[in-house]
Amino acid sequence: MPGTRSSGLLALGGIAVAAVLAVLGHLEVNDDLNPWSLTVSDFAVSERGGVIDTAMAVLAAATVVLLPALRRAGAGRLAGLLLVAWSAGLMAAAVVPTNEPGLPMDTAAYLHRYASVVAFLALPVAGWLLARRLGGRAAGWVRGLALTSLVLAAAMVWSAYPGDRLLIGLAERLLILAEVALLAVVAATLAGRRTREAAAPRAWEHRHIAGVVLRDREVTPARGA
């Protein structure tokens, strides 16, 4: 699978850059903004075009980098479409602003909200579908993070509606952390796959050569017989 390892490494780099930018974006906003009660989008809208929006775009691009490698690894069509939906949702949320905290929602804010909902739901389902292809311990991690993401998404929905936005910022940040970790596990698994696959043919080749040598020794008659 040529390119699988490089795709995984490139995606891991993009995920790391996005994480650093997201942290920086929280440090540069107004001190009056409360991360426990306000969402990441509320932070981002305080500085349109800032580092949080850039972080979302970088994360979307990192996911796109993984798509060809996952297709070569045998990922199903549905999983690929869900990852495209995750990337598109992230990009739309980065480009289209939400409303300022406390203001009534307009069309752009609704588009931002539902693009985020699509992204948050698409990734854990895609991860669950990909787990079988990843195999080993990675499959368990991805399934666990997918279930955690869905539980946190439900908590966020509860907070947004009947919960009167109680700790909605905390719920969203935990959800983002779980989903970014899921994506990082997928990327790390692909980054290590080429090494493992290259080692297997070498081991087979060594066994084959050893078998040929032993067979030759068995069938070659002794000199002078």
Side-chain angles (χ1 to χ4, degrees), residues 158-173:
W158 176 86
S159 178
Y161 294 101
D164 196 27
R165 295 179 65 87
L166 176 66
L167 295 179
I168 191 171
L170 175 61
E172 186 192 44
R173 283 163 178 79

Side-chain angles (χ1 to χ4, degrees), residues 54 63 77 79 84 105 125 132 134 139 150-151 165 171-172 192 210 223:
T54 304
T63 305
R77 181 179 179 85
V84 170
M105 294 186 67
V125 178
R132 184 171 61 89
L134 297 176
L150 291 173
V151 170
R165 295 179 65 87
E172 186 192 44
R223 293 182 179 274

Side-chain angles (χ1 to χ4, degrees), residues 46 75 94 101 170 191 205:
S46 67
L170 175 61
E205 182 180 347

Side-chain angles (χ1 to χ4, degrees), residues 41 85-86 88-90 92-93 96-98 105-122 157 161:
S41 297
W86 150 263
L90 277 181
V96 180
T98 187
M105 294 186 67
D106 55 15
T107 302
Y110 277 110
L111 179 58
H112 177 96
R113 170 183 287 182
Y114 291 113
S116 300
V117 169
V118 168
F120 285 146
L121 293 179
V157 169
Y161 294 101

Side-chain angles (χ1 to χ4, degrees), residues 1-104:
M1 292 185 183
T4 297
R5 184 169 185 269
S6 59
S7 295
L9 290 173
L10 185 59
L12 278 175
I15 293 168
V17 170
V20 171
L21 290 175
V23 171
L24 291 177
H26 280 71
L27 298 177
E28 293 183 358
V29 295
N30 192 319
D31 292 338
D32 293 334
L33 296 179
N34 186 345
W36 310 125
S37 59
L38 295 176
T39 66
V40 173
S41 297
D42 292 331
F43 272 63
V45 77
S46 67
E47 184 192 5
R48 291 307 306 162
V51 290
I52 291 179
D53 295 323
T54 304
M56 295 166 67
V58 170
L59 193 59
T63 305
V64 172
V65 168
L66 290 175
L67 292 176
L70 287 169
R71 189 162 50 247
R72 290 193 296 268
R77 181 179 179 85
L78 179 56
L81 290 175
L82 287 168
L83 289 175
V84 170
W86 150 263
S87 300
L90 277 181
M91 191 63 70
V95 173
V96 180
T98 187
N99 57 290
E100 293 278 355
L103 296 180

